[in-house]
């Protein structure tokens, strides 16, 4: 998204990316010659030493690349925080740095174990937090993905900072008239450890006592087989569609669903997710446990239901008794919220305001 924005504004843009895809867990090569692949090592587990080493290799190669090329502006996503450190070491007085905080790490580490959280994770997180703070302090502009991140990082005290919610460029309007006759719920994205699938199983089992419900799964991840085994054991009807980045195919599957599942483990610090924006872009309301920004929108904008994993009865009752007319109203409102807060139009307006504040020092 940032690539298209800067290129459309007349800048010569290069994108540095890892040859190994974290989400797909395999090597990939992008066809655009402006996207430059940096070779790293593969890893199977998201929680492994090899993943850390892979990120460190990538950070070092970013450092080398920036050392042999001149840039007026560097735009980086954090985490991994090591990449930002490599940029700082190469930052010249003429180079402007925009930092986009898309996740909090190590705060987002999914664990309810107080020993891990209060001891091991606390001490392991000291260095990454120090690096992140230094990068933010030396940046020329800092973007936070959510109001929650802005608050957690104390960015209210940084003049050159802004909250820009996750955005999605979408050229077509979803078909709001398409809706399955029986309740259907979609799960989109990584099938990984930070997501609360146990609550999803309980919700589906509870609704099944009163009405038919089908789960659609679009994605891959280390827990895929475990999730499918549980669905089979609990006799929950589902369709597994695999992973796809085809927007038209996603629309065909997702827009027909009643709700999109946006459930996270309680220990995960998530306020806004890419999957929730994807759901809203197809006019699909949320079953949500993410905090702060998303929780507020769901509560105040009639775009689904919030839930707490410790108390699912209220949600199950609402889903068991909701009528199609109410779902259709939620679907229409969900797409309106997407256009207002997460669309290309809102992104361009916000990014243009950032560029305007940096433009005099970028242009020679």
């Amino acid at each position: 998204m940032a690539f298209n924005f800067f290129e459309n504004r007349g800048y010569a843009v290069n994108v540095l990316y890892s040859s190994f895809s974290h989400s797909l867990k395999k090597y990939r090569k992008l066809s655009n010659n402006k996207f430059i692949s940096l070779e790293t090592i593969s890893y199977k587990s998201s929680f492994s030493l090899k993943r850390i080493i892979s990120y460190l290799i990538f950070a070092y190669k970013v450092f080398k690349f920036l050392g042999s090329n001149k840039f007026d502006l560097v735009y980086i996503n954090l985490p991994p925080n090591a990449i930002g450190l490599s940029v700082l070491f190469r930052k010249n007085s003429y180079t402007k740095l925009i930092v986009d905080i898309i996740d909090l790490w190590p705060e987002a580490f999914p664990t309810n174990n107080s020993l891990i959280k209060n001891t091991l994770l606390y001490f392991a997180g000291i260095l990454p937090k120090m690096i992140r703070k230094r990068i933010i302090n030396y940046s020329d502009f800092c973007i936070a993905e959510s109001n929650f991140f802005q608050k957690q990082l104390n960015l209210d005290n940084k003049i050159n900072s802004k909250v820009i919610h996750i955005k999605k460029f979408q050229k077509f309007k979803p078909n709001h008239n398409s809706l399955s006759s029986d309740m259907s719920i979609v799960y989109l994205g990584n099938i990984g450890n930070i997501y609360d699938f146990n609550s999803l199983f309980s919700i589906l089992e509870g609704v099944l006592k009163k009405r038919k419900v089908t789960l659609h799964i679009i994605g891959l991840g280390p827990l895929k087989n475990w999730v499918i085994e549980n669905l089979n054991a609990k006799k929950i009807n589902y369709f597994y569609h695999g992973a796809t980045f085809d927007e038209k195919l996603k629309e065909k599957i997702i827009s027909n669903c009643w709700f999109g599942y946006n459930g996270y483990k309680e220990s995960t610090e998530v306020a806004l997710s890419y999957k929730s924006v994807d759901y809203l872009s197809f006019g699909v309301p949320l079953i949500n446990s993410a905090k702060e920004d998303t929780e507020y929108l769901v509560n105040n904008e009639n775009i689904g239901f919030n839930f707490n994993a410790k108390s699912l009865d209220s949600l199950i009752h609402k889903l068991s008794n909701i009528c199609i007319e109410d779902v259709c109203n939620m679907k229409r409102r969900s797409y309106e919220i997407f256009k207002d807060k997460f669309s290309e139009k809102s992104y361009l307006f916000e990014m243009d305001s950032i560029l305007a504040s940096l433009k005099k020092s970028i242009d020679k």
Side-chain angles (χ1 to χ4, degrees):
M1 186 174 293
F3 170 80
N4 290 328
F5 170 79
F6 285 111
E7 189 171 60
N8 290 338
R9 295 300 183 273
Y11 294 95
V13 186
N14 288 121
V15 176
L16 306 181
Y17 71 96
S18 171
S19 61
F20 183 75
S21 168
H22 171 71
S23 58
L24 298 176
K25 293 295 188 294
K26 66 180 183 180
Y27 286 100
R28 41 66 187 286
K29 182 72 174 179
L30 303 180
S31 57
N32 191 330
N33 59 13
K34 296 179 182 178
F35 283 60
I36 300 171
S37 174
L38 302 180
E39 294 297 319
T40 55
I41 63 171
S42 63
Y43 52 88
K44 294 182 179 179
S45 172
S46 295
F47 306 107
S48 64
L49 180 61
K50 286 190 72 177
R51 178 183 180 182
I52 296 173
I53 294 172
S54 183
Y55 282 173
L56 290 175
I57 292 172
F58 181 71
Y60 173 69
K61 292 192 173 182
V62 169
F63 173 78
K64 287 183 63 178
F65 184 90
L66 293 179
S68 57
N69 296 272
K70 180 181 177 181
F71 292 93
D72 297 309
L73 172 65
V74 177
Y75 183 107
I76 59 172
N77 292 328
L78 297 184
N81 298 340
I83 294 174
L85 193 60
S86 70
V87 173
L88 282 190
F89 284 137
R90 288 298 193 193
K91 189 178 185 302
N92 300 304
S93 59
Y94 62 81
T95 304
K96 299 303 172 184
L97 173 61
I98 298 177
V99 176
D100 191 347
I101 309 292
I102 63 173
D103 201 357
L104 297 182
W105 194 260
E107 295 90 337
F109 189 90
T111 179
N112 289 317
N113 187 308
S114 58
L115 176 62
I116 293 176
K117 180 170 287 188
N118 296 329
T119 56
L120 297 178
L121 190 57
Y122 173 79
F123 289 107
I126 291 175
L127 183 58
K129 288 180 181 179
M130 288 176 59
I131 293 172
R132 181 179 63 201
K133 184 176 181 180
R134 186 172 181 84
I135 296 164
I136 290 172
N137 288 341
Y138 278 87
S139 68
D140 297 283
F141 208 99
C142 184
I143 299 170
E145 181 183 271
S146 65
N147 293 306
F148 175 66
F149 287 1
Q150 177 98 342
K151 181 171 64 177
Q152 291 292 98
L153 298 172
N154 296 315
L155 294 179
D156 290 332
N157 299 321
K158 184 176 175 62
I159 297 174
N160 292 332
S161 70
K162 178 189 282 284
V163 174
I164 298 184
H165 291 120
I166 299 167
K167 307 296 182 183
K168 179 181 177 182
F169 286 11
Q170 183 160 289
K171 296 181 180 179
F172 57 87
K173 181 179 180 179
N175 181 7
H176 291 152
N177 298 319
S178 177
L179 186 64
S180 54
S181 57
D182 293 322
M183 177 175 283
S184 54
I185 297 172
V186 59
Y187 177 82
L188 171 68
N190 180 261
I191 309 173
N193 291 286
I194 68 174
Y195 305 104
D196 183 5
F197 293 108
N198 284 319
S199 289
L200 177 59
F201 301 148
S202 297
I203 293 166
L204 292 168
E205 285 183 301
V207 174
L208 272 171
K209 293 177 182 178
K210 188 164 183 180
R211 70 194 311 169
K212 290 182 180 179
V213 59
T214 298
L215 176 68
H216 291 266
I217 304 172
I218 306 172
L220 288 172
L223 298 185
K224 186 199 79 171
N225 292 338
W226 175 79
V227 167
I228 289 176
E229 287 168 5
N230 274 273
L231 292 171
N232 288 329
K234 298 173 187 298
K235 296 181 171 54
I236 296 170
N237 189 40
Y238 71 92
F239 290 96
Y240 176 64
H241 302 279
T244 180
F245 296 99
D246 185 329
E247 287 296 303
K248 280 296 184 182
L249 179 58
K250 284 164 61 178
E251 182 207 9
K252 183 178 180 181
I253 299 167
I254 297 173
S255 63
N256 197 42
C257 293
W258 291 32
F259 295 97
Y261 185 71
N262 192 53
Y264 289 83
K265 291 180 179 177
E266 191 175 1
S267 58
T268 304
E269 300 287 350
V270 175
L272 190 64
S273 67
Y274 286 98
K275 70 169 82 275
S276 63
V277 173
D278 246 345
Y279 294 145
L280 296 177
S281 75
F282 295 115
V284 175
L286 311 177
I287 297 174
N288 171 69
S289 72
K291 305 166 186 175
E292 299 278 337
D293 298 57
T294 310
E295 182 180 19
Y296 176 85
L297 283 175
V298 171
N299 273 337
N300 292 278
E301 299 293 351
N302 191 34
I303 58 169
F305 300 111
N306 288 315
F307 74 90
N308 185 306
K310 296 177 181 177
S311 179
L312 296 174
D313 290 345
S314 175
L315 172 64
I316 291 171
H317 176 77
K318 291 174 182 176
L319 293 177
S320 299
N321 293 281
I322 195 169
C323 64
I324 288 183
E325 289 77 15
D326 288 342
V327 175
C328 289
N329 288 333
M330 283 186 175
K331 287 174 74 69
R332 284 189 287 270
R333 184 60 184 155
S334 295
Y335 186 64
E336 289 172 3
I337 289 297
F338 165 75
K339 289 191 297 181
D340 181 52
K341 296 184 178 296
F342 307 110
S343 66
E344 176 181 1
K345 182 179 179 180
S346 62
Y347 175 77
L348 295 178
F349 175 81
E350 291 163 334
M351 286 298 294
D352 275 331
S353 69
I354 294 175
L355 262 192
S357 70
L358 299 176
K359 192 172 179 60
K360 288 183 180 179
S361 53
I362 294 175
D363 292 342
K364 303 297 182 180

